[in-house]
Amino acid sequence: LLTKHRFQQEITFKQSLAESKERAEKDHLTGIANRCFFESAFTIIQSKVIRRHTGLALLLFDLDHFKEVNDTFGHHVGDQVLKCVATRLSEFTRTEEVFARLGGDEFVLIVTGDNSNSDAIRLARRILNAIREPMQIDGKVIRISASIGIAAQQSQDQSITTLLSHADIALYQAKNSGRS
């Protein structure tokens, strides 16, 4: 009886641990990776890239005029747009790529490989096209676009902060150049 009770406690503990890990690593709204997971994954991926002598690029993007969606249709619809974007992009993200929501309407994708720069550009086009597809939410057709900044790792010891900063600069250049 004591062994059975202990076994049940261990199962409960393992389930609780798994749930806590998921809450810590996944965005609560979209179900994709969150900033915490992204930063941890980046460190691991970067070490693999260094060992394999391959490239690494970040795609940082946000939704153009997303505030207007929230202001016009309400935050509930805005949340549905974020979920739809996450679902659409998760469908064509490769397993070795990390796709995460950093917060608000800002997302990031890590691309690695021998062709990481050209793969990043190809993915950026796919992202823009996927987001441009109209979304049916609560009987409304929502049309939105995104702007993307791409930063390629220039040296093997480049920090995540530096790479994100470069991607952020590229993102704002894209926005200043007309968005999308």
Side-chain angles (χ1 to χ4, degrees):
L1 187 64
L2 191 57
T3 306
K4 186 176 182 179
H5 179 69
R6 181 181 168 119
F7 179 72
Q8 286 292 56
Q9 283 182 320
E10 286 180 18
I11 288 174
T12 302
F13 174 74
K14 286 180 182 178
Q15 288 172 337
S16 177
L17 187 62
E19 289 169 7
S20 294
K21 185 177 189 305
E22 185 168 322
R23 278 193 301 272
E25 295 177 343
K26 291 204 178 207
D27 177 62
H28 71 281
L29 179 66
T30 62
I32 63 174
N34 63 14
R35 179 183 289 272
C36 180
F37 182 85
F38 162 74
E39 290 173 354
S40 298
F42 179 85
T43 304
I44 294 165
I45 291 169
Q46 188 178 42
S47 66
K48 287 180 183 177
V49 164
I50 291 169
R51 276 195 319 274
R52 295 178 182 159
H53 303 288
T54 59
L56 183 148
L58 285 186
L59 283 79
L60 179 66
F61 62 98
D62 67 15
L63 305 178
D64 296 331
H65 307 292
F66 183 68
K67 182 181 180 322
E68 292 174 15
V69 171
N70 281 332
D71 291 348
T72 304
F73 301 107
H75 289 275
H76 170 71
V77 171
D79 287 350
Q80 296 304 313
V81 168
L82 294 172
K83 288 179 185 180
C84 183
V85 167
T87 300
R88 284 181 182 181
L89 301 187
S90 293
E91 290 174 2
F92 63 79
T93 303
R94 298 180 299 193
T95 54
E96 66 272 9
E97 296 166 345
V98 175
F99 172 47
R101 179 176 174 219
L102 296 182
D105 66 327
E106 191 171 60
F107 297 85
V108 67
L109 182 65
I110 301 173
V111 180
T112 63
D114 292 332
N115 301 314
S116 61
N117 292 349
S118 58
D119 287 348
I121 292 167
R122 179 186 52 78
L123 269 171
R125 288 186 182 114
R126 289 184 71 191
I127 289 168
L128 293 175
N129 289 333
I131 292 173
R132 273 191 212 113
E133 288 293 317
M135 300 174 199
Q136 286 281 347
I137 300 173
D138 289 348
K140 299 166 185 64
V141 177
I142 308 293
R143 287 182 168 76
I144 198 156
S145 61
S147 294
I148 302 177
I150 302 173
Q153 185 168 319
Q154 300 300 314
S155 66
Q156 293 184 340
D157 61 346
Q158 198 166 22
S159 73
I160 187 171
T161 306
T162 302
L163 205 53
L164 271 173
S165 176
H166 291 179
D168 198 43
I169 291 167
L171 171 64
Y172 280 93
Q173 286 176 341
K175 286 189 172 294
N176 289 334
S177 298
R179 301 182 187 272
S180 194

